[in-house]
């Protein structure tokens, strides 16, 4: 992981997004560190335990009943990821 200071919001930070009138609240575990790297043919998501719990929580939020198709969360090096990370979008897609 990059030794730069984490860009993840503090544990008290909740990000609320609304799609089709349905609000999703995303939270970060304290000390969460998440880095996303593009190695050409594959993407590596590297995280500490708090970061993995945070990502799992984000995915479970999007998977809840009643969350509309197309709901998503953008993570970037200035918003939830370590500095130098490539952007990551978590998106619900119920279309086959």
């Amino acid at each position: 992981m990059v030794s730069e200071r984490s860009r993840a919001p503090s544990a008290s930070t909740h990000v609320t997004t609304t799609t089709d009138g349905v609000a999703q609240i995303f939270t970060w575990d304290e000390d969460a560190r998440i880095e996303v790297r593009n190695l050409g043919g594959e993407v590596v998501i590297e995280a500490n335990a708090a970061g993995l719990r945070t990502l799992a929580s984000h995915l479970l939020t999007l998977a809840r009943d009643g969350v509309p198709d197309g709901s998503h969360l953008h993570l970037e090096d200035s918003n939830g990821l370590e500095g130098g990370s490539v952007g990551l979008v978590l998106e619900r897609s119920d279309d086959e």
Side-chain angles (χ1 to χ4, degrees):
M1 274 205 200
V2 195
S3 60
E4 292 182 36
R5 191 174 157 194
S6 175
R7 306 276 192 221
S10 69
S12 62
T13 300
H14 303 298
V15 175
T16 304
T17 63
T18 305
T19 304
D20 293 339
V22 177
Q24 293 91 40
I25 300 174
F26 298 93
T27 60
W28 277 256
D29 278 12
E30 188 172 350
D31 298 324
R33 287 189 329 271
I34 306 165
E35 180 181 356
V36 179
R37 292 178 278 138
N38 181 347
L39 300 180
E42 61 187 7
V43 173
V44 175
I45 299 173
E46 184 177 311
N48 63 2
L52 292 172
R53 284 190 301 271
T54 295
L55 282 173
S57 173
H58 292 347
L59 292 170
L60 289 169
T61 296
L62 289 168
R64 285 191 326 228
D65 288 340
V67 173
D69 184 55
S71 295
H72 61 279
L73 176 66
H74 288 263
L75 300 172
E76 299 166 345
D77 71 353
S78 61
N79 178 31
L81 300 178
E82 294 288 305
S85 291
V86 297
L88 177 66
V89 178
L90 305 176
E91 182 174 355
R92 180 172 180 148
S93 175
D94 293 323
D95 295 334
E96 293 183 23

Coordinates of all heavy atoms in Angstrom, one line a residue:
M1 N 0.8 -1.2 0.0 CA 0.0 0.0 0.0 C 0.9 1.2 0.0 O 2.0 1.2 0.5 CB -0.9 0.0 1.2 CG -2.1 -0.7 1.1 SD -3.3 -0.1 2.2 CE -4.4 -1.4 2.3
V2 N 0.3 2.3 -0.5 CA 1.0 3.6 -0.5 C 1.1 4.1 1.0 O 0.2 3.9 1.8 CB 0.2 4.6 -1.3 CG1 1.0 5.8 -1.6 CG2 -0.4 4.0 -2.5
S3 N 2.2 4.7 1.3 CA 2.4 5.2 2.6 C 1.8 6.5 2.8 O 1.9 7.1 3.9 CB 3.9 5.2 2.9 OG 4.6 6.1 2.0
E4 N 1.2 7.1 1.8 CA 0.5 8.4 2.0 C -0.6 8.3 3.0 O -1.2 7.2 3.2 CB -0.1 8.9 0.7 CG 1.0 9.2 -0.4 CD 0.4 9.7 -1.6 OE1 -0.7 10.4 -1.5 OE2 0.9 9.4 -2.7
R5 N -1.0 9.4 3.6 CA -2.1 9.4 4.5 C -3.4 9.0 3.8 O -3.7 9.3 2.6 CB -2.3 10.8 5.0 CG -3.2 10.9 6.1 CD -3.2 12.3 6.7 NE -4.5 12.5 7.4 CZ -4.9 13.6 7.7 NH1 -4.3 14.7 7.5 NH2 -6.1 13.7 8.3
S6 N -4.2 8.2 4.5 CA -5.5 7.7 3.9 C -6.4 8.8 3.5 O -6.5 9.8 4.2 CB -6.2 6.8 4.9 OG -7.4 6.4 4.5
R7 N -7.1 8.6 2.4 CA -8.1 9.6 1.9 C -9.5 9.1 2.4 O -10.5 9.8 2.0 CB -8.1 9.7 0.4 CG -6.7 10.0 -0.1 CD -6.4 11.5 -0.1 NE -5.3 11.7 -0.9 CZ -4.3 12.6 -0.5 NH1 -4.4 13.3 0.6 NH2 -3.3 12.8 -1.3
A8 N -9.6 8.0 3.1 CA -10.9 7.5 3.5 C -11.5 8.5 4.5 O -10.8 9.0 5.4 CB -10.8 6.2 4.1
P9 N -12.8 8.7 4.4 CA -13.5 9.6 5.4 C -13.3 9.0 6.8 O -13.1 7.8 6.9 CB -14.9 9.5 4.9 CG -14.9 9.1 3.5 CD -13.7 8.3 3.4
S10 N -13.4 9.8 7.8 CA -13.3 9.2 9.2 C -14.5 8.4 9.5 O -15.6 8.4 8.8 CB -13.3 10.4 10.2 OG -14.5 11.1 10.2
A11 N -14.4 7.6 10.5 CA -15.5 6.6 10.9 C -16.8 7.3 11.1 O -17.9 6.7 11.0 CB -15.1 5.8 12.1
S12 N -16.8 8.6 11.5 CA -18.0 9.3 11.8 C -18.7 9.8 10.5 O -19.7 10.4 10.5 CB -17.8 10.5 12.7 OG -16.9 11.4 12.2
T13 N -18.0 9.7 9.4 CA -18.5 10.2 8.1 C -19.5 9.2 7.5 O -19.2 8.0 7.3 CB -17.4 10.5 7.1 OG1 -16.5 11.4 7.7 CG2 -17.9 11.0 5.8
H14 N -20.6 9.7 7.2 CA -21.6 8.9 6.4 C -21.9 9.6 5.1 O -22.2 10.8 5.1 CB -22.9 8.8 7.2 CG -22.8 8.2 8.6 ND1 -22.3 6.9 8.8 CD2 -23.0 8.7 9.8 CE1 -22.3 6.7 10.1 NE2 -22.7 7.7 10.7
V15 N -21.9 8.9 4.0 CA -22.2 9.5 2.7 C -23.5 8.9 2.4 O -23.8 7.7 2.3 CB -21.1 9.1 1.7 CG1 -21.5 9.6 0.3 CG2 -19.8 9.6 2.1
T16 N -24.5 9.9 2.1 CA -25.8 9.5 1.7 C -26.0 9.8 0.3 O -25.8 10.9 -0.2 CB -26.9 10.2 2.6 OG1 -26.6 10.0 3.9 CG2 -28.3 9.8 2.2
T17 N -26.4 8.8 -0.5 CA -26.7 9.0 -1.9 C -28.2 8.7 -2.1 O -28.8 7.8 -1.4 CB -25.9 8.2 -2.9 OG1 -26.1 6.8 -2.6 CG2 -24.4 8.5 -2.7
T18 N -28.8 9.3 -3.1 CA -30.3 9.1 -3.3 C -30.4 8.7 -4.8 O -30.0 9.5 -5.7 CB -31.1 10.3 -2.9 OG1 -30.8 10.6 -1.6 CG2 -32.6 9.9 -3.1
T19 N -31.1 7.6 -5.1 CA -31.4 7.2 -6.4 C -32.9 6.9 -6.4 O -33.4 6.1 -5.6 CB -30.6 6.0 -6.9 OG1 -29.2 6.2 -6.7 CG2 -30.9 5.6 -8.3
D20 N -33.7 7.5 -7.3 CA -35.1 7.3 -7.4 C -35.8 7.4 -6.0 O -36.7 6.7 -5.7 CB -35.4 5.9 -8.0 CG -35.0 5.8 -9.4 OD1 -34.8 6.8 -10.1 OD2 -34.8 4.6 -9.9
G21 N -35.3 8.4 -5.2 CA -35.9 8.7 -4.0 C -35.6 7.7 -2.8 O -36.1 7.8 -1.7
V22 N -34.7 6.7 -3.1 CA -34.2 5.8 -2.1 C -32.8 6.2 -1.7 O -31.9 6.3 -2.5 CB -34.2 4.3 -2.6 CG1 -33.7 3.4 -1.6 CG2 -35.6 3.9 -3.1
A23 N -32.7 6.4 -0.4 CA -31.4 6.9 0.2 C -30.5 5.6 0.6 O -31.1 4.7 1.2 CB -31.6 7.8 1.4
Q24 N -29.3 5.7 0.3 CA -28.3 4.7 0.7 C -27.3 5.4 1.6 O -26.8 6.5 1.2 CB -27.6 4.0 -0.4 CG -28.5 3.1 -1.3 CD -29.1 3.9 -2.5 OE1 -28.4 4.7 -3.1 NE2 -30.3 3.6 -2.7
I25 N -26.9 4.9 2.7 CA -25.9 5.5 3.6 C -24.7 4.6 3.6 O -24.8 3.4 3.9 CB -26.5 5.7 5.0 CG1 -27.7 6.6 5.0 CG2 -25.4 6.2 5.9 CD1 -28.4 6.7 6.3
F26 N -23.6 5.2 3.2 CA -22.3 4.4 3.2 C -21.4 5.0 4.3 O -21.3 6.2 4.5 CB -21.6 4.7 1.8 CG -22.4 4.1 0.7 CD1 -23.2 5.0 0.0 CD2 -22.3 2.8 0.3 CE1 -24.0 4.5 -1.1 CE2 -23.0 2.3 -0.8 CZ -23.8 3.2 -1.5
T27 N -20.8 4.0 5.1 CA -20.0 4.5 6.2 C -18.6 3.8 6.0 O -18.5 2.8 5.4 CB -20.6 4.1 7.5 OG1 -20.7 2.6 7.6 CG2 -21.9 4.7 7.8
W28 N -17.6 4.4 6.7 CA -16.3 3.9 6.7 C -15.9 3.4 8.1 O -16.1 4.2 9.0 CB -15.3 5.0 6.2 CG -15.2 5.1 4.7 CD1 -14.2 4.6 3.9 CD2 -16.1 5.7 3.8 NE1 -14.4 4.9 2.6 CE2 -15.6 5.5 2.5 CE3 -17.4 6.3 4.0 CZ2 -16.3 6.0 1.4 CZ3 -18.0 6.8 2.9 CH2 -17.5 6.6 1.6
D29 N -15.3 2.3 8.2 CA -14.7 1.8 9.4 C -13.5 2.8 9.8 O -12.8 3.2 8.9 CB -14.1 0.4 9.3 CG -15.2 -0.7 9.5 OD1 -16.4 -0.3 9.5 OD2 -14.9 -1.8 9.7
E30 N -13.3 3.0 11.1 CA -12.2 3.8 11.5 C -10.9 3.1 11.0 O -10.7 1.9 11.0 CB -12.1 3.9 13.0 CG -11.1 4.8 13.5 CD -11.3 5.1 15.0 OE1 -12.2 4.6 15.6 OE2 -10.4 5.7 15.6
D31 N -9.9 3.9 10.5 CA -8.6 3.5 10.0 C -8.7 2.7 8.7 O -7.8 1.9 8.4 CB -7.8 2.7 11.1 CG -7.6 3.6 12.3 OD1 -7.3 4.8 12.1 OD2 -7.6 3.0 13.4
A32 N -9.8 2.7 8.0 CA -9.9 2.0 6.7 C -8.9 2.5 5.7 O -8.8 3.7 5.6 CB -11.3 2.1 6.2
R33 N -8.2 1.6 5.1 CA -7.3 2.0 4.0 C -7.6 1.1 2.8 O -7.6 -0.2 3.0 CB -5.8 1.8 4.5 CG -5.3 2.8 5.4 CD -3.8 2.7 5.7 NE -3.2 1.4 5.6 CZ -3.1 0.5 6.6 NH1 -3.6 0.9 7.8 NH2 -2.6 -0.6 6.5
I34 N -7.9 1.7 1.7 CA -8.2 0.9 0.5 C -7.4 1.6 -0.7 O -7.4 2.8 -0.9 CB -9.7 1.1 0.2 CG1 -10.5 0.6 1.4 CG2 -10.1 0.2 -1.1 CD1 -12.0 1.0 1.3
E35 N -6.7 0.7 -1.4 CA -6.0 1.1 -2.6 C -6.4 0.3 -3.8 O -6.6 -0.9 -3.6 CB -4.5 1.0 -2.3 CG -3.6 1.4 -3.5 CD -2.1 1.2 -3.3 OE1 -1.7 0.8 -2.2 OE2 -1.4 1.4 -4.3
V36 N -6.6 0.9 -4.9 CA -7.0 0.2 -6.1 C -5.9 0.5 -7.2 O -5.6 1.7 -7.4 CB -8.4 0.7 -6.6 CG1 -8.7 0.0 -7.9 CG2 -9.4 0.5 -5.5
R37 N -5.4 -0.5 -7.7 CA -4.3 -0.4 -8.8 C -4.7 -1.1 -10.0 O -5.3 -2.2 -10.0 CB -3.0 -1.0 -8.3 CG -2.4 -0.1 -7.1 CD -1.1 -0.8 -6.6 NE -1.5 -1.8 -5.7 CZ -0.9 -3.0 -5.6 NH1 0.1 -3.3 -6.4 NH2 -1.3 -3.9 -4.7
N38 N -4.4 -0.5 -11.2 CA -4.7 -1.1 -12.5 C -3.3 -1.6 -13.0 O -2.4 -0.9 -13.2 CB -5.3 -0.1 -13.4 CG -5.5 -0.7 -14.8 OD1 -5.1 -1.8 -15.1 ND2 -6.3 0.1 -15.6
L39 N -3.2 -3.0 -13.1 CA -2.0 -3.6 -13.5 C -2.0 -4.0 -15.0 O -1.3 -4.9 -15.4 CB -1.6 -4.8 -12.6 CG -1.5 -4.5 -11.2 CD1 -1.1 -5.8 -10.4 CD2 -0.4 -3.4 -10.9
G40 N -2.9 -3.3 -15.7 CA -3.0 -3.6 -17.2 C -4.1 -4.7 -17.4 O -5.2 -4.3 -17.7
G41 N -3.8 -6.0 -17.2 CA -4.8 -7.0 -17.4 C -5.6 -7.4 -16.2 O -6.5 -8.2 -16.3
E42 N -5.3 -6.7 -15.1 CA -6.1 -7.0 -13.9 C -6.1 -5.8 -13.0 O -5.2 -5.0 -13.0 CB -5.6 -8.3 -13.1 CG -4.2 -8.2 -12.6 CD -3.7 -9.5 -12.1 OE1 -4.3 -10.5 -12.2 OE2 -2.6 -9.5 -11.5
V43 N -7.1 -5.8 -12.1 CA -7.2 -4.7 -11.1 C -7.0 -5.3 -9.7 O -7.5 -6.4 -9.4 CB -8.6 -4.1 -11.2 CG1 -8.8 -3.1 -10.0 CG2 -8.8 -3.4 -12.5
V44 N -6.2 -4.7 -8.9 CA -5.9 -5.1 -7.6 C -6.5 -4.2 -6.6 O -6.3 -3.0 -6.7 CB -4.4 -5.2 -7.3 CG1 -4.1 -5.6 -5.9 CG2 -3.7 -6.2 -8.3
I45 N -7.3 -4.7 -5.7 CA -7.9 -4.0 -4.6 C -7.2 -4.4 -3.3 O -7.3 -5.6 -2.9 CB -9.4 -4.2 -4.4 CG1 -10.1 -3.7 -5.7 CG2 -9.9 -3.4 -3.2 CD1 -11.6 -4.0 -5.7
E46 N -6.4 -3.6 -2.8 CA -5.6 -3.9 -1.6 C -6.1 -3.1 -0.4 O -6.2 -1.9 -0.5 CB -4.1 -3.6 -1.8 CG -3.2 -4.0 -0.7 CD -1.7 -3.7 -1.1 OE1 -1.3 -4.1 -2.2 OE2 -1.1 -3.1 -0.3
A47 N -6.4 -3.8 0.7 CA -7.0 -3.0 1.8 C -6.6 -3.7 3.1 O -6.3 -4.9 3.2 CB -8.5 -3.0 1.7
N48 N -6.6 -2.9 4.2 CA -6.4 -3.5 5.5 C -7.8 -4.1 6.0 O -8.8 -4.0 5.2 CB -5.8 -2.5 6.5 CG -6.8 -1.3 6.8 OD1 -7.9 -1.3 6.2 ND2 -6.3 -0.4 7.6
A49 N -7.8 -4.7 7.1 CA -9.1 -5.4 7.6 C -10.2 -4.4 7.7 O -11.3 -4.7 7.2 CB -8.8 -6.0 9.0
A50 N -10.0 -3.2 8.2 CA -11.0 -2.1 8.2 C -11.5 -1.7 6.8 O -12.7 -1.5 6.6 CB -10.5 -0.9 9.0
G51 N -10.5 -1.7 5.9 CA -10.9 -1.3 4.5 C -11.7 -2.4 3.9 O -12.7 -2.1 3.1
L52 N -11.4 -3.7 4.1 CA -12.2 -4.8 3.6 C -13.6 -4.8 4.2 O -14.6 -5.0 3.5 CB -11.5 -6.1 3.8 CG -10.2 -6.3 3.1 CD1 -9.5 -7.6 3.6 CD2 -10.4 -6.4 1.6
R53 N -13.7 -4.5 5.5 CA -15.1 -4.4 6.1 C -15.8 -3.3 5.5 O -17.0 -3.4 5.2 CB -14.9 -4.3 7.6 CG -14.6 -5.5 8.4 CD -14.7 -5.4 9.9 NE -13.9 -4.3 10.4 CZ -12.6 -4.5 10.8 NH1 -12.1 -5.7 10.7 NH2 -11.9 -3.5 11.3
T54 N -15.2 -2.2 5.2 CA -15.8 -1.0 4.6 C -16.3 -1.3 3.2 O -17.5 -1.0 2.9 CB -14.8 0.2 4.6 OG1 -14.5 0.6 5.9 CG2 -15.4 1.4 3.8
L55 N -15.5 -2.0 2.4 CA -15.9 -2.4 1.1 C -17.1 -3.3 1.1 O -18.1 -3.2 0.4 CB -14.8 -3.0 0.3 CG -13.8 -2.0 -0.3 CD1 -12.6 -2.8 -0.9 CD2 -14.4 -1.1 -1.4
A56 N -17.0 -4.3 2.0 CA -18.1 -5.3 2.2 C -19.4 -4.6 2.6 O -20.5 -4.9 2.1 CB -17.7 -6.3 3.2
S57 N -19.3 -3.6 3.5 CA -20.5 -2.8 3.9 C -21.1 -2.1 2.7 O -22.3 -2.0 2.6 CB -20.1 -1.9 5.0 OG -21.1 -1.0 5.4
H58 N -20.2 -1.4 1.9 CA -20.7 -0.7 0.7 C -21.4 -1.6 -0.2 O -22.5 -1.3 -0.7 CB -19.5 -0.1 0.0 CG -18.8 1.1 0.7 ND1 -19.3 1.7 1.9 CD2 -17.6 1.6 0.4 CE1 -18.5 2.6 2.2 NE2 -17.4 2.6 1.4
L59 N -20.9 -2.8 -0.5 CA -21.5 -3.8 -1.4 C -22.9 -4.3 -0.8 O -23.9 -4.4 -1.5 CB -20.6 -4.9 -1.6 CG -19.4 -4.6 -2.5 CD1 -18.4 -5.7 -2.5 CD2 -19.7 -4.1 -3.9
L60 N -22.9 -4.5 0.5 CA -24.2 -5.0 1.2 C -25.2 -3.9 1.1 O -26.4 -4.1 1.0 CB -23.9 -5.4 2.6 CG -23.1 -6.7 2.7 CD1 -22.7 -7.0 4.2 CD2 -24.0 -7.9 2.2
T61 N -24.8 -2.6 1.2 CA -25.7 -1.5 1.1 C -26.4 -1.5 -0.2 O -27.6 -1.3 -0.4 CB -25.0 -0.1 1.4 OG1 -24.5 -0.1 2.8 CG2 -25.9 1.0 1.2
L62 N -25.6 -1.7 -1.3 CA -26.1 -1.7 -2.6 C -27.0 -2.9 -2.9 O -27.8 -2.9 -3.8 CB -25.0 -1.6 -3.7 CG -24.3 -0.3 -3.7 CD1 -23.0 -0.4 -4.6 CD2 -25.2 0.8 -4.3
A63 N -26.7 -4.0 -2.2 CA -27.5 -5.3 -2.4 C -28.8 -5.3 -1.6 O -29.6 -6.3 -1.9 CB -26.6 -6.4 -2.0
R64 N -29.1 -4.4 -0.8 CA -30.3 -4.4 0.0 C -31.5 -4.4 -0.9 O -31.5 -3.8 -2.0 CB -30.4 -3.2 1.0 CG -29.5 -3.3 2.1 CD -29.8 -2.2 3.2 NE -30.3 -1.0 2.5 CZ -29.9 0.2 2.7 NH1 -29.0 0.4 3.7 NH2 -30.3 1.3 2.1
D65 N -32.6 -5.0 -0.4 CA -33.9 -5.0 -1.0 C -34.3 -3.6 -1.2 O -34.2 -2.7 -0.3 CB -34.9 -5.8 -0.3 CG -34.7 -7.3 -0.3 OD1 -34.0 -7.8 -1.2 OD2 -35.3 -8.0 0.6
G66 N -34.9 -3.2 -2.3 CA -35.5 -1.9 -2.5 C -34.5 -0.9 -3.1 O -34.9 0.2 -3.4
V67 N -33.2 -1.3 -3.2 CA -32.2 -0.4 -3.8 C -32.4 -0.4 -5.3 O -32.3 -1.5 -5.9 CB -30.8 -0.7 -3.3 CG1 -29.8 0.1 -4.1 CG2 -30.6 -0.5 -1.8
P68 N -32.6 0.7 -5.9 CA -32.9 0.7 -7.4 C -31.7 0.3 -8.2 O -30.5 0.6 -7.9 CB -33.2 2.2 -7.7 CG -33.4 2.8 -6.4 CD -32.7 2.0 -5.3
D69 N -32.0 -0.3 -9.4 CA -31.0 -0.6 -10.4 C -30.3 0.7 -10.7 O -30.9 1.8 -10.8 CB -31.7 -1.2 -11.6 CG -30.7 -1.6 -12.7 OD1 -29.9 -2.4 -12.4 OD2 -30.9 -1.1 -13.8
G70 N -29.0 0.6 -10.9 CA -28.2 1.8 -11.3 C -27.6 2.6 -10.1 O -26.8 3.5 -10.3
S71 N -28.0 2.3 -8.9 CA -27.5 2.9 -7.7 C -26.0 2.6 -7.6 O -25.5 1.5 -8.0 CB -28.1 2.4 -6.4 OG -29.5 2.7 -6.4
H72 N -25.2 3.6 -7.3 CA -23.7 3.4 -7.3 C -23.0 4.3 -6.4 O -23.6 5.3 -5.9 CB -23.2 3.6 -8.8 CG -23.5 5.0 -9.3 ND1 -24.7 5.4 -9.8 CD2 -22.6 6.1 -9.4 CE1 -24.6 6.6 -10.2 NE2 -23.4 7.1 -9.9
L73 N -21.7 4.0 -6.2 CA -20.9 4.8 -5.3 C -19.5 4.9 -6.0 O -18.9 3.9 -6.4 CB -20.7 4.1 -3.9 CG -19.7 4.8 -3.0 CD1 -20.2 6.2 -2.5 CD2 -19.4 3.9 -1.8
H74 N -19.1 6.2 -6.2 CA -17.8 6.4 -6.8 C -16.7 6.6 -5.7 O -16.9 7.3 -4.7 CB -17.8 7.8 -7.6 CG -18.5 7.7 -8.8 ND1 -18.0 7.5 -10.0 CD2 -19.9 7.8 -9.1 CE1 -18.9 7.5 -11.0 NE2 -20.1 7.7 -10.4
L75 N -15.6 5.8 -5.8 CA -14.5 5.9 -4.9 C -13.3 6.4 -5.7 O -13.0 5.8 -6.8 CB -14.2 4.6 -4.2 CG -15.4 4.0 -3.4 CD1 -15.0 2.6 -2.9 CD2 -15.7 4.9 -2.2
E76 N -12.6 7.4 -5.2 CA -11.4 7.9 -5.9 C -10.3 8.2 -4.9 O -10.6 8.2 -3.7 CB -11.8 9.2 -6.7 CG -12.9 8.9 -7.7 CD -13.6 10.2 -8.2 OE1 -13.4 11.3 -7.6 OE2 -14.2 10.2 -9.2
D77 N -9.1 8.6 -5.4 CA -8.1 8.8 -4.5 C -8.3 10.1 -3.6 O -7.7 10.3 -2.6 CB -6.7 8.9 -5.1 CG -6.5 10.1 -6.0 OD1 -7.4 10.9 -6.2 OD2 -5.3 10.3 -6.5
S78 N -9.2 10.9 -4.0 CA -9.6 12.0 -3.1 C -10.9 11.8 -2.4 O -11.4 12.7 -1.7 CB -9.7 13.3 -4.0 OG -10.7 13.1 -4.9
N79 N -11.5 10.6 -2.5 CA -12.8 10.3 -2.0 C -12.9 8.8 -1.6 O -13.4 8.0 -2.4 CB -13.9 10.7 -3.0 CG -15.3 10.3 -2.5 OD1 -15.5 10.4 -1.3 ND2 -16.2 10.0 -3.4
G80 N -12.3 8.4 -0.5 CA -12.4 7.1 0.0 C -11.3 6.1 -0.3 O -11.3 5.0 0.3
L81 N -10.4 6.5 -1.2 CA -9.3 5.6 -1.5 C -7.9 6.3 -1.2 O -7.8 7.5 -1.0 CB -9.3 5.2 -3.0 CG -10.5 4.5 -3.5 CD1 -10.3 4.3 -5.0 CD2 -10.7 3.2 -2.8
E82 N -6.9 5.4 -1.0 CA -5.5 5.9 -0.8 C -5.1 6.8 -2.0 O -5.5 6.5 -3.1 CB -4.6 4.8 -0.6 CG -4.8 3.9 0.6 CD -4.5 4.7 1.9 OE1 -3.3 5.1 2.0 OE2 -5.3 4.8 2.8
G83 N -4.2 7.7 -1.7 CA -3.6 8.5 -2.8 C -3.0 7.7 -3.9 O -2.3 6.7 -3.6
G84 N -3.1 8.0 -5.1 CA -2.5 7.3 -6.2 C -3.4 6.2 -6.7 O -3.0 5.5 -7.7
S85 N -4.5 5.9 -6.1 CA -5.4 4.8 -6.5 C -6.1 5.2 -7.8 O -6.4 6.4 -8.1 CB -6.5 4.5 -5.5 OG -5.9 3.9 -4.3
V86 N -6.5 4.2 -8.6 CA -7.4 4.5 -9.7 C -8.8 4.5 -9.2 O -9.1 3.9 -8.2 CB -7.2 3.4 -10.9 CG1 -5.8 3.5 -11.5 CG2 -7.5 2.0 -10.4
G87 N -9.7 5.1 -9.9 CA -11.1 5.2 -9.5 C -11.8 3.8 -9.5 O -11.4 3.0 -10.3
L88 N -12.7 3.7 -8.6 CA -13.5 2.5 -8.5 C -15.0 2.8 -8.4 O -15.3 3.7 -7.6 CB -13.1 1.6 -7.3 CG -13.8 0.3 -7.1 CD1 -13.6 -0.7 -8.2 CD2 -13.4 -0.2 -5.7
V89 N -15.8 2.3 -9.2 CA -17.3 2.5 -9.1 C -17.9 1.2 -8.7 O -17.7 0.2 -9.3 CB -17.9 3.0 -10.4 CG1 -19.4 3.2 -10.3 CG2 -17.2 4.3 -10.9
L90 N -18.7 1.2 -7.6 CA -19.5 0.1 -7.2 C -20.9 0.4 -7.6 O -21.5 1.4 -7.2 CB -19.5 -0.1 -5.7 CG -18.1 -0.2 -5.0 CD1 -18.2 -0.2 -3.5 CD2 -17.3 -1.4 -5.6
E91 N -21.5 -0.5 -8.5 CA -22.8 -0.2 -9.1 C -23.7 -1.4 -9.1 O -23.2 -2.5 -9.4 CB -22.7 0.3 -10.5 CG -24.0 0.7 -11.1 CD -23.8 1.3 -12.5 OE1 -22.7 1.6 -13.0 OE2 -24.9 1.6 -13.1
R92 N -24.9 -1.2 -8.7 CA -25.9 -2.2 -8.8 C -26.5 -2.3 -10.2 O -26.9 -1.3 -10.7 CB -27.0 -2.0 -7.8 CG -28.1 -3.1 -7.8 CD -29.1 -2.9 -6.7 NE -30.1 -4.0 -6.8 CZ -30.7 -4.5 -5.7 NH1 -30.4 -4.0 -4.5 NH2 -31.6 -5.4 -5.8
S93 N -26.5 -3.5 -10.7 CA -27.1 -3.7 -12.1 C -27.9 -5.0 -12.0 O -27.3 -6.1 -12.0 CB -26.0 -3.8 -13.1 OG -26.5 -4.1 -14.4
D94 N -29.2 -4.9 -12.0 CA -30.1 -6.0 -12.0 C -30.4 -6.5 -13.4 O -31.1 -7.6 -13.5 CB -31.4 -5.7 -11.2 CG -31.1 -5.4 -9.7 OD1 -30.2 -6.1 -9.2 OD2 -31.7 -4.5 -9.1
D95 N -30.0 -5.8 -14.4 CA -30.3 -6.3 -15.8 C -29.4 -7.4 -16.1 O -28.2 -7.5 -15.7 CB -30.0 -5.1 -16.8 CG -31.0 -4.0 -16.6 OD1 -32.1 -4.2 -16.1 OD2 -30.6 -2.9 -16.9
E96 N -29.9 -8.4 -16.8 CA -29.1 -9.5 -17.2 C -28.4 -9.3 -18.5 O -28.7 -8.5 -19.3 CB -29.9 -10.8 -17.3 CG -30.4 -11.1 -15.9 CD -31.2 -12.4 -16.0 OE1 -31.1 -13.2 -16.9 OE2 -32.0 -12.6 -15.1

